[in-house]
Amino acid sequence: MTLQEYDYARERPSKLAASCLLLALTMKNLGGWTPTLEYYSGYCSQDLHPLVKRLNFLLTYQPHDKLKAVRTKYSHRVFFEVAKTTPMDMLKLEETLKS
């Protein structure tokens, strides 16, 4: 989804990937940012929080009339229908990231 948004082009790919992983872990209740993830990614959880919130916002308020190719592709079961995943409530995300 970020490939279609110019605002994310200035983010480092490694930080964007780490933030996407943290958001996915949070959305699926699979745990938080572990010391191992921090060591290998080079990012602590607090460094990723602003970008995680922006990513969730992107999922929440995505335009439905333009650029449907990526959404259509990742809505297929071959890609586990990840484009159909419901974004987290912003307040719940905030609470989860603080804990």
Side-chain angles (χ1 to χ4, degrees):
M1 300 294 299
T2 59
L3 292 174
Q4 302 174 42
E5 300 292 329
Y6 183 73
D7 293 341
Y8 294 93
R10 61 189 158 121
E11 298 292 342
R12 287 188 296 193
S14 61
K15 188 173 185 179
L16 188 58
S19 297
C20 289
L21 177 59
L22 179 56
L23 180 59
L25 290 171
T26 306
M27 290 173 83
K28 296 294 186 179
N29 292 323
L30 295 174
W33 201 247
T34 64
T36 303
L37 289 170
E38 183 175 335
Y39 175 79
Y40 284 106
S41 71
Y43 298 105
C44 68
S45 177
Q46 290 76 22
D47 294 341
L48 303 175
H49 288 182
L51 188 52
V52 168
K53 292 175 195 174
R54 284 180 45 217
L55 288 166
N56 192 60
F57 185 82
L58 175 67
L59 293 173
T60 304
Y61 298 104
Q62 51 188 300
H64 295 286
D65 56 340
K66 297 181 181 177
L67 305 171
K68 293 182 181 181
V70 172
R71 190 175 356 276
T72 302
K73 176 180 179 178
Y74 289 98
S75 294
H76 195 273
R77 70 174 188 223
V78 171
F79 297 103
F80 304 102
E81 299 177 337
V82 294
K84 295 180 182 178
T85 303
T86 307
M88 287 188 73
D89 177 65
M90 294 301 276
L91 294 174
K92 183 177 178 184
L93 177 62
E94 184 79 35
E95 277 180 26
T96 307
L97 291 176
K98 284 184 180 178
S99 60

